[in-house]
Amino acid sequence: MSSGGQRNRTREEDGKAHTGAGLMSPAAGTVLLRWVALFVLFNGAMTVLRLWEPLWWAAALVNFVLLVRIAEQGALLVPARFARTYERSLAVAFPLVLLAGWQLVVGAEILSPTWFPPPTRIVRALWELATGFDEFTGTSLFGRPWEIPARLAEDGLKDGAAAFTAESHLFATLMRVFAGFAIGAVPGVLLGMVMGVSRTVRAMVDATLSAFYVLPKIAIFPIMMLVFPNPFGEGPKIAVVAISAFFLVAINTMVGVRDIEPVYLEAGRNYGATGRRMFRHVIIPAALPVIFGGLRIALGTALIVIIAIEFVRSRTGVGYLTFYYWEILSPDKMYAGLVVVMILGVGLTTGLKALERVVMPWRRDPGRSDPGG
Amino acid sequence: MTKISAEGICKSFAGPRQRVEAVRSFSLDVREGEFVCLVGPSGCGKSTFLRIVAGLMEATSGRLEIHRDAEDGRPLNSMVFQEYAVFPWKTVSENVAFGLAMRNVPRKERDARTAEWIDRVGLRRFAHHYPHQLSGGMRQRVGIARALANDPEILLMDEPLGALDAQTRTVLQEELLRIWQSRRKTVMYVTHSIEEAVLLGDRVVLMTAHPGTNKAEFTVPLERPRTLQTTTDPQFSRLSYQIWEELRDEVQRSMEENA
Ligand SMILES: Nc1ncnc2c1ncn2[C@@H]1O[C@H](COP(=O)(O)OP(=O)(O)OP(=O)(O)O)[C@@H](O)[C@H]1O
Ligand SMILES: [Mg+2]
């Protein structure tokens, strides 16, 4: 805890020690070259000897180890100043290498390019998906966002938004995720809080909650279709997302409140915090990190659930789009749909992390490397 | 006049197998404006006793009476926790202002008092820092400022200088002496340092090893006002040694028990 500054210092010293070693032994650069040469040689030999097909899994493993060695040797040559930048660039470089590997593997027809299209073709499909407009269904990925203000003015909030999401797959999915997440998470936090502080409520509700918690929420989709007047409308979809988020958030919030260091509650009491103020000044901020952990899991789950539902029962949404292109045997665009889902997931998580930094300023510390944020 | 009167205080906790007795029939009377130091081996129940006095815990048995002055809105007691218990989600100044904010002290007065106490514990430059940006000793000082700014009738301090380096510790001991000299609060002060107890206290109360009960009591005859110079007084070293003689067996016992 106290080591914000301290850890930082050791980090810098680490960096210096590394450069020091790099400067002192002129071999560091040579060693790096040697590893790169080994990497090239190995893959060349695999190709020439035609060992890829029978031994691809072993080759992948060896290549991974070689890449790690190369990255480590590279780190020795990077000045301490750029150590963090270097580490971050590794996170980008690794998937690029994977994609390059895929491209090569498919290019050599080790995998069928029909069913596993190379990344270049997926990128092209992604472009077509983003710019294309399906005349038959009257839908596209983004819809016509520039018409939103006019539509809202004309048809009012509800109908305008509905008309817009009906023709945009991306926003249809986003709307379902956001609506379901909000409808589920808010009562989830409230129930979790109450369960955290009240022994009685916990005793009553805990077992039921745990039972629902393990239930795969998609399984209740049919029931939701019965509950809502329009079984094919947005209602049942949003409801299932909301229910999934609700249980995850409730349980995490409860754990967050239960795990508060008792001494903070004692300090709150000793200095006169009672009732609402105890919640506002002690319980909520103390539980917030765990609550946000729950929100993050819930948001990820919301996305999984909605994509799955769109696969089976929807005419719009990124999940529908992806499955549709599978059904009409257009794998390029199916992969493009999956990429959209991934981008969506990363975007939502990043947004939530940004919110976390705003809501919990005490955890924001530029000097501290804080994995898991 | 007796401010705190504790008689035959017992406290036991439900352990995993059997009940753990933390305090056994401990009695202590503290006069209004008296500075009492509580010394005893680790785990003997000092913190537990302080929590009972603070009203954060119920004694299993025994009688506790605290005389309330009951005038203005001053709080009855404020505790400096051994574990600091400084809120990580509040800045230094928000932490120090906490007690005042909870009892609706007007903004202006609150700000003035907060600033004053942050200055006194030497954290002015860190007023807007969060606790994780401070060292352990600095956090402990925030805890001390939070209690003193609250201006309670009784100060309960659980090893408040325990996390500090020797020099800061000395400086704050002098500061505590000065503060007490001007305010004459009732203080119950837990420490592991016999010298600190003799320097600060009117009375030093020894507890036995776990479960803690009354072992011995020493009145400190040293004159007030005291300063660091008091430590050069021959009476000071004689009393310190005398207390150590008494405490040694208990520490030995406590170590053997834990071994
Ligand atoms: N909440 C609790 N539940 C169970 N046992 C406890 C609890 N609090 C304290 N104890 C036990 O009571 C005994 C006294 O603890 P206490 O913290 O009061 O000791 P202490 O004198 O303050 O020790 P130290 O000088 O190390 O701070 C210990 O044996 C401890 O394990
Ligand atoms: Mg203690």
Side-chain angles (χ1 to χ4, degrees):
Chain A
M1 279 284 277
S2 66
S3 58
Q6 241 167 29
R7 202 190 303 166
N8 211 16
R9 218 173 303 134
T10 36
R11 222 165 204 291
E12 266 164 37
E13 272 159 21
D14 268 7
K16 270 183 211 130
H18 279 181
T19 24
L23 291 177
M24 255 184 287
S25 63
T30 326
V31 174
L32 175 63
L33 283 180
R34 225 175 272 157
W35 281 109
V36 174
L38 194 59
F39 177 75
V40 174
L41 227 70
F42 172 73
N43 284 295
M46 289 294 288
T47 312
V48 172
L49 299 175
R50 297 186 172 284
L51 288 176
W52 272 108
E53 210 154 345
L55 289 176
W56 63 268
W57 47 274
L61 194 69
V62 172
N63 269 324
F64 182 71
V65 173
L66 286 172
L67 283 174
V68 170
R69 294 302 305 162
I70 290 171
E72 277 177 349
Q73 281 299 321
L76 298 185
L77 294 172
V78 175
R81 262 179 308 141
F82 299 122
R84 290 221 36 165
T85 320
Y86 179 77
E87 248 172 50
R88 262 188 233 128
S89 66
L90 285 182
V92 179
F94 181 68
L96 286 181
V97 168
L98 279 189
L99 288 176
W102 182 355
Q103 184 88 28
L104 287 174
V105 166
V106 176
E109 303 221 359
I110 294 166
L111 283 176
S112 153
T114 316
W115 300 116
F116 304 95
T120 43
R121 262 170 55 195
I122 297 176
V123 170
R124 198 179 318 131
L126 199 58
W127 175 251
E128 281 164 20
L129 207 61
T131 54
F133 175 74
D134 191 312
E135 310 251 344
F136 183 63
T137 56
T139 60
S140 61
L141 186 62
F142 292 111
R144 285 171 287 184
W146 57 89
E147 284 182 8
I148 294 177
R151 289 254 197 88
L152 289 185
E154 238 170 78
D155 307 337
L157 181 64
K158 193 156 172 278
D159 291 345
F164 171 61
T165 52
E167 61 173 47
S168 163
H169 294 293
L170 184 66
F171 287 94
T173 300
L174 269 179
M175 190 273 294
R176 288 167 191 151
V177 169
F178 279 138
F181 184 68
I183 294 171
V186 172
V189 168
L190 292 178
L191 177 66
M193 287 271 167
V194 174
M195 286 179 73
V197 292
S198 161
R199 216 188 159 80
T200 315
V201 176
R202 199 159 55 239
M204 276 167 57
V205 183
D206 202 7
T208 315
L209 207 64
S210 304
F212 274 101
Y213 175 73
V214 295
L215 187 74
K217 303 305 175 298
I218 304 179
I220 56 173
F221 184 58
I223 306 174
M224 288 301 123
M225 290 178 69
L226 292 175
V227 169
F228 283 85
N230 176 7
F232 303 104
E234 295 298 315
K237 304 185 183 79
I238 293 173
V240 175
V241 173
I243 290 170
S244 319
F246 174 78
F247 288 103
L248 285 165
V249 172
I251 287 190
N252 270 280
T253 305
M254 176 186 74
V255 170
V257 173
R258 294 273 289 148
D259 283 355
I260 296 174
E261 289 279 341
V263 79
Y264 291 130
L265 301 175
E266 287 183 327
R269 248 181 83 192
N270 189 241
Y271 286 89
T274 48
R276 282 232 317 274
R277 287 175 143 185
M278 188 68 155
F279 269 98
R280 183 166 129 55
H281 291 280
V282 183
I283 295 177
I284 293 174
L288 219 45
V290 185
I291 294 177
F292 261 101
L295 290 178
R296 223 179 308 167
I297 301 170
L299 194 57
T301 308
L303 192 61
I304 294 172
V305 166
I306 200 60
I307 297 296
I309 290 175
E310 287 172 353
F311 263 32
V312 292
R313 186 69 74 226
S314 183
R315 294 279 110 193
T316 52
V318 181
Y320 159 75
L321 201 64
T322 306
F323 201 71
Y324 168 76
Y325 285 118
W326 163 245
E327 281 185 320
I328 65 165
L329 301 183
S330 172
D332 291 16
K333 283 195 174 157
M334 183 198 75
Y335 280 93
L338 291 180
V339 172
V340 173
V341 175
M342 280 159 80
I343 294 172
L344 214 56
V346 172
L348 288 175
T349 319
T350 311
L352 196 64
K353 270 194 190 155
L355 182 68
E356 238 177 286
R357 276 197 295 276
V358 173
V359 177
M360 297 190 286
W362 64 91
R363 305 196 109 212
R364 177 173 43 192
D365 182 4
R368 189 167 67 164
S369 69
D370 193 5
Chain B
M1 194 186 62
T2 310
K3 182 79 182 166
I4 305 168
S5 164
E7 205 183 300
I9 298 288
C10 295
K11 175 74 192 179
S12 52
F13 294 101
R17 264 164 291 148
Q18 77 259 24
R19 293 187 74 77
V20 182
E21 208 179 355
V23 181
R24 176 188 289 168
S25 189
F26 182 69
S27 302
L28 178 65
D29 282 356
V30 181
R31 274 175 286 114
E32 172 100 56
E34 191 182 18
F35 198 125
V36 171
C37 290
L38 218 55
V39 179
S42 183
C44 75
K46 304 181 294 292
S47 299
T48 305
F49 180 68
L50 235 54
R51 283 190 159 85
I52 292 169
V53 174
L56 293 169
M57 232 178 225
E58 287 277 337
T60 313
S61 68
R63 191 185 56 82
L64 175 74
E65 267 173 38
I66 299 175
H67 185 264
R68 183 104 170 79
D69 270 347
E71 5 144 349
D72 40 20
R74 277 173 70 203
L76 182 58
N77 73 71
S78 293
M79 178 114 151
V80 179
F81 291 86
Q82 185 175 6
E83 310 86 344
Y84 320 152
V86 164
F87 302 122
W89 50 87
K90 289 181 180 290
T91 62
V92 167
S93 72
E94 284 166 353
N95 263 293
V96 174
F98 185 66
L100 303 173
M102 287 306 108
R103 54 196 178 83
N104 303 318
V105 170
R107 187 83 206 205
K108 246 178 147 175
E109 190 192 339
R110 196 200 310 171
D111 289 348
R113 262 157 78 177
T114 304
E116 179 199 335
W117 282 103
I118 289 177
D119 266 5
R120 285 229 200 161
V121 295
L123 289 175
R124 187 193 300 190
R125 266 189 344 103
F126 297 91
H128 301 294
H129 281 54
Y130 283 104
H132 79 256
Q133 298 166 306
L134 309 179
S135 72
M138 289 156 93
R139 259 177 260 168
Q140 185 63 287
R141 270 139 69 193
V142 176
I144 295 171
R146 176 173 66 181
L148 289 170
N150 206 22
D151 191 25
E153 290 179 38
I154 302 169
L155 260 176
L156 302 172
M157 306 180 93
D158 199 348
E159 297 187 38
L161 308 184
L164 303 182
D165 62 280
Q167 284 99 40
T168 316
R169 195 182 175 121
T170 309
V171 170
L172 282 177
Q173 282 171 351
E174 289 200 288
E175 181 70 17
L176 279 178
L177 280 173
R178 239 195 321 274
I179 292 161
W180 186 82
Q181 197 64 41
S182 62
R183 293 284 173 76
R184 296 276 172 166
K185 274 187 195 315
T186 311
V187 183
M188 206 180 270
Y189 191 102
V190 172
T191 174
H192 274 138
S193 156
I194 294 172
E195 280 78 17
E196 183 170 286
V198 174
L199 175 64
L200 297 176
D202 296 315
R203 203 151 43 107
V204 179
V205 176
L206 293 194
M207 287 176 86
T208 63
H210 174 99
T213 183
N214 299 71
K215 167 82 178 174
E217 232 185 83
F218 300 84
T219 305
V220 182
L222 299 166
E223 241 172 58
R224 303 259 186 195
R226 299 180 197 159
T227 63
L228 201 62
Q229 210 185 356
T230 312
T231 56
T232 60
D233 191 319
Q235 274 191 74
F236 177 89
S237 12
R238 206 171 322 124
L239 183 58
S240 300
Y241 185 71
Q242 212 182 329
I243 295 175
W244 171 240
E245 290 263 82
E246 195 71 40
L247 191 63
R248 183 159 45 197
D249 298 345
E250 295 304 325
V251 174
Q252 200 86 47
R253 228 181 78 203
S254 143
M255 282 167 68
E256 275 158 16
E257 222 171 75
N258 292 334

